[in-house]
Amino acid sequence: MKEVISTRPTIYRTTSTSWCSPTINWDHLDYDFVRAIEPKVKHVVTGLGNGGYYEKWGYPLEKISEEDWNTPVKIDDGLTVWVLPARHFSGRMLKRNQTLYAGFAFITPGRKVFYSGDGGYDGRFARIGDQFGGFDLAILEDGQYNKDWHSVHMMPEETAQAAVDLHAKTVVPCHNGKYPLSTHQWKDPYIRLVKAAHEKDLTLLTPMIGETLRIGDQNQYFGRWWELMN
């Protein structure tokens, strides 16, 4: 079996393991975790300038694909990963924007999945949706937003609009449900996105962290588990 790993949910399985990293920011690229999974990872796909971290942390160069936006990386005959534009920033210490942040499209013979990475809303979602002819699943940022950070993090209502722009059949929110980085309430990303998705007639899936999601399963249901959280 092959498992594609992002810094969010597992989204596809075939015969080897690929790790896709949207940015080097601390909340996405953790040294201990990245080192721990190295024996399981056969491919790293990331934006320009990020590969040096993996090399420095013990990943062989042949495992690393460091690419510019709008570049396809063929993992094998069953999977191509596209590195795509995002609207965010990158940095770990004092210097910022020395490396490229990105989103990803995972294209297989039977499925198409989009992962936004972090980033504010703009016209790229419509362009990507048109480029790939829609997606079976879009994993979209929904959380850690703030009006002052509007250019680098989407509001939930913008997340819903991004799904429409992408022509996504189903949507899974990410970048929430863990520790808070912004001033909004912990449940707020779910509450607002559920409302926005309903208004736009979107199919929204909300698995708990660690739950399995079966792409294309019309009978799969996830409850509003966040309402039970204190």
Side-chain angles (χ1 to χ4, degrees), residues 141-157:
E141 179 203 65
D142 175 44
Q144 319 318 324
Y145 46 79
N146 186 302
K147 289 183 179 180
D148 293 334
W149 305 341
H150 185 255
S151 63
V152 295
H153 287 297
M154 291 189 285
M155 299 293 182
E157 296 75 19

Side-chain angles (χ1 to χ4, degrees), residues 24 33 45 70 79 81 85 113 118 135 146 152 167 207 219 221:
I24 61 168
F33 180 71
V45 182
N70 298 308
L79 174 63
V81 179
V113 175
D118 286 14
F135 292 92
N146 186 302
V152 295
H167 313 299
N219 297 316
Y221 172 76

Side-chain angles (χ1 to χ4, degrees), residues 6-9 11 20-25 27-28 69 82-89 100-106 113-121 124-125 128 138-144 151-154 159 162 166 172-176:
S6 77
T7 50
R8 307 299 177 214
I11 61 169
C20 297
S21 177
T23 181
I24 61 168
N25 297 4
D27 59 327
H28 286 265
W69 289 344
W82 281 76
V83 180
L84 295 171
R87 182 183 177 186
H88 198 53
F89 65 93
L100 189 66
Y101 35 88
F104 300 95
F106 304 92
V113 175
F114 175 78
Y115 168 47
S116 66
D118 286 14
Y121 177 81
R124 73 186 182 280
F125 296 109
I128 291 169
I139 303 171
L140 300 178
E141 179 203 65
D142 175 44
Q144 319 318 324
S151 63
V152 295
H153 287 297
M154 291 189 285
T159 299
L166 289 162
V172 171
C174 65
H175 212 245
N176 55 34

Side-chain angles (χ1 to χ4, degrees), residues 33-169:
F33 180 71
V34 170
R35 287 289 302 122
I37 66 170
E38 189 276 329
K40 298 181 178 181
V41 173
K42 294 187 178 180
H43 306 276
V44 173
V45 182
T46 190
L48 291 174
N50 298 317
Y53 287 91
Y54 294 93
E55 182 184 1
K56 182 169 62 176
W57 295 350
Y59 281 63
L61 284 175
E62 58 268 21
K63 282 190 177 185
I64 303 167
S65 294
E66 181 187 82
E67 304 295 344
D68 200 355
W69 289 344
N70 298 308
T71 302
V73 178
K74 184 176 180 180
I75 304 301
D76 58 27
D77 290 339
L79 174 63
T80 297
V81 179
W82 281 76
V83 180
L84 295 171
R87 182 183 177 186
H88 198 53
F89 65 93
S90 64
R92 291 181 73 82
M93 297 298 287
L94 298 179
K95 292 184 179 180
R96 284 200 171 190
N97 298 325
Q98 305 296 302
T99 63
L100 189 66
Y101 35 88
F104 300 95
F106 304 92
I107 310 300
T108 79
R111 299 291 183 190
K112 293 180 289 184
V113 175
F114 175 78
Y115 168 47
S116 66
D118 286 14
Y121 177 81
D122 63 14
R124 73 186 182 280
F125 296 109
R127 292 190 293 271
I128 291 169
D130 291 343
Q131 178 182 351
F132 291 94
F135 292 92
D136 297 287
L137 172 67
I139 303 171
L140 300 178
E141 179 203 65
D142 175 44
Q144 319 318 324
Y145 46 79
N146 186 302
K147 289 183 179 180
D148 293 334
W149 305 341
H150 185 255
S151 63
V152 295
H153 287 297
M154 291 189 285
M155 299 293 182
E157 296 75 19
E158 292 174 320
T159 299
Q161 184 58 50
V164 173
D165 295 348
L166 289 162
H167 313 299
K169 293 179 182 178

